[in-house]
Amino acid sequence: MQTTSIVTNFNHKLNAPLTKKKITVLQINLGKRCNLACSHCHVEASPKRTEELSPEVCTQLIELIHKFPEIEIVDLTGGAPEMNYGFKPLVEAARVTNKQVIVRSNLTIYFVDGFGYLPEYFAQNQVRIVASLPCYLADNVDKMRGAGVFDDSIKALQLLNKLGYSQDPNLILDLVYNPQLPTDEKFALSPEQNNLEQNYKSFLKDKFNIKFNNLFTITNLPVGRTKMYLERKKLYIPYLQFLKSHFNASTIEHLMCRNELSIDYLGNVYDCDFNQMMNLPAKNANGENLTVTQLLAASSLDLVSEVQTAPYCYGCTAGSGSSCGGALI
């Protein structure tokens, strides 16, 4: 079995613990139910998964959103967040408290029975859509996400444009690029974000008359299905070493884990979504695993002083960096 013992501990690389900042972002993973089963999914979501938010945790999260005005962004993810319990109540709780709502959408969900209302619902609630489109070429997208996903994604983007997305300043539509999974040790980081964004915009406008706001380049972290794939190919340790060799200290100031809390469908709290998938909980000052119940009881979001780190953190700090909002520098 491969181990990570030959990869320098991330905190040792920093020569100090990674400290938390003031919390302004609440990222909620509503569950693992999804209409797709993408090959690179770190959540390991699929149509066969049934784990989702409970009514009790949903009520707590709504209370959390109302209680803390310092939360600027409520970031909803999954699975397909739209398919899991509590989605609309959380959107509406965030909007009534004047917080920005981000939904990480796979776009194809709009064509699943029962979810055709979503584009207009998003527009009415000024939801910021961050949509996965790991390439602007159909073959590459379908290889990663499933047959026909590219065509459905194009139709969804055209529909969103008709509703005003990327034209109305209150209707933001962002796309996410992920590199193809490596087949050998010729690893590569994401291309430069601004240049790739211009390539995306030119191609999608010329070929499909599609407009969008921003492109986010996100590194494939060795977590979930990506980790399993790398292990099968005997590339897991070499890939970690590659990420470590491209460590960029300038990214540390901007890491998303420093000002966000990631919450799972059970109400457990993590520093980021990757730690959530690897079951590495955030800790309070007493070293106890943090929960939403504790946040509410303490009337504070700032109970974490140090971020829990692991070797895959090199993925967020390699090259220009990587986050849920794309490159860091």
Side-chain angles (χ1 to χ4, degrees):
M1 180 179 288
Q2 290 181 313
T3 71
T4 57
S5 59
I6 59 175
V7 180
T8 307
N9 181 284
F10 188 76
N11 273 357
H12 291 169
K13 187 74 172 178
L14 300 185
N15 296 316
L18 183 61
T19 56
K20 209 80 166 170
K21 298 181 178 180
K22 192 80 173 172
I23 299 301
T24 58
V25 179
L26 198 65
Q27 186 174 69
I28 303 169
N29 189 304
L30 280 78
K32 297 181 184 290
R33 181 180 287 114
C34 188
N35 59 307
L36 300 179
C38 300
S39 62
H40 64 297
C41 180
H42 69 281
V43 181
E44 301 176 50
S46 81
K48 296 180 180 179
R49 302 299 292 263
T50 59
E51 305 95 319
E52 66 177 347
L53 203 64
S54 69
E56 294 76 19
V57 174
C58 183
T59 298
Q60 286 185 313
L61 290 170
I62 290 170
E63 183 181 352
L64 203 70
I65 290 167
H66 280 270
K67 188 168 187 173
F68 297 104
E70 61 264 41
I71 298 172
E72 299 172 3
I73 298 172
V74 176
D75 184 342
L76 302 178
T77 184
E82 305 97 326
M83 294 184 77
N84 290 278
Y85 181 87
F87 175 71
K88 288 175 69 175
L90 290 171
V91 168
E92 288 153 27
R95 291 304 299 138
V96 80
T97 53
N98 295 314
K99 305 180 194 311
Q100 182 184 61
V101 180
I102 294 175
V103 171
R104 299 191 179 271
S105 180
N106 67 35
L107 297 174
T108 65
I109 186 66
Y110 309 158
F111 307 110
V112 174
D113 286 348
F115 297 98
Y117 74 94
L118 284 170
E120 289 190 0
Y121 178 78
F122 288 162
Q124 290 165 2
N125 287 280
Q126 297 182 355
V127 169
R128 181 172 187 165
I129 299 172
V130 177
S132 178
L133 193 71
C135 185
Y136 51 73
L137 300 177
D139 286 348
N140 287 345
V141 171
D142 287 357
K143 193 179 298 181
M144 290 179 76
R145 306 187 65 213
V149 168
F150 181 81
D151 288 344
D152 279 351
S153 298
I154 293 300
K155 287 190 291 184
L157 292 170
Q158 291 170 333
L159 177 58
L160 291 169
N161 279 174
K162 286 180 182 177
L163 292 170
Y165 269 94
S166 82
Q167 293 140 88
D168 183 327
N170 294 313
L171 300 179
I172 306 298
L173 174 60
D174 301 322
L175 301 183
V176 172
Y177 164 88
N178 291 91
Q180 297 285 305
L181 294 176
T183 57
D184 53 35
E185 292 192 25
K186 295 177 182 177
F187 305 122
L189 297 174
S190 297
E192 199 279 327
Q193 184 168 276
N194 290 335
N195 289 339
L196 187 60
E197 177 179 292
Q198 294 311 310
N199 292 342
Y200 261 72
K201 285 185 172 179
S202 296
F203 184 89
L204 293 176
K205 181 70 172 66
D206 293 346
K207 190 141 181 84
F208 302 107
N209 198 31
I210 286 171
K211 297 179 180 179
F212 67 94
N213 293 92
N214 307 288
L215 179 72
F216 299 148
T217 56
I218 297 183
T219 300
N220 289 321
L221 265 68
V223 171
R225 289 199 186 113
T226 296
K227 180 183 179 183
M228 291 187 284
Y229 168 86
L230 292 169
E231 287 176 333
R232 286 197 303 272
K233 296 285 187 179
K234 302 190 186 308
L235 294 172
Y236 177 55
I237 294 299
Y239 185 61
L240 277 177
Q241 291 172 323
F242 167 79
L243 295 174
K244 173 182 170 290
S245 72
H246 287 81
F247 173 78
N248 184 347
S250 300
T251 62
I252 299 299
E253 177 66 21
H254 309 289
L255 289 172
M256 64 180 182
C257 57
R258 301 189 68 185
N259 72 327
E260 82 167 24
L261 295 177
S262 171
I263 299 176
D264 71 9
Y265 60 93
L266 297 171
N268 300 309
V269 179
Y270 304 80
D271 294 304
C272 71
D273 197 47
F274 300 112
N275 279 1
Q276 182 181 144
M277 295 311 127
M278 295 301 287
N279 195 27
L280 187 61
K283 305 282 187 181
N284 64 19
N286 297 323
E288 300 165 334
N289 294 351
L290 198 58
T291 65
V292 173
T293 301
Q294 292 171 354
L295 296 175
L296 290 170
S299 294
S300 174
L301 296 174
D302 299 301
L303 301 182
V304 180
S305 58
E306 295 180 5
V307 175
Q308 301 297 307
T309 62
Y312 50 79
C313 297
Y314 286 116
C316 293
T317 55
S320 296
S322 178
S323 75
C324 289
L328 297 173
I329 56 173

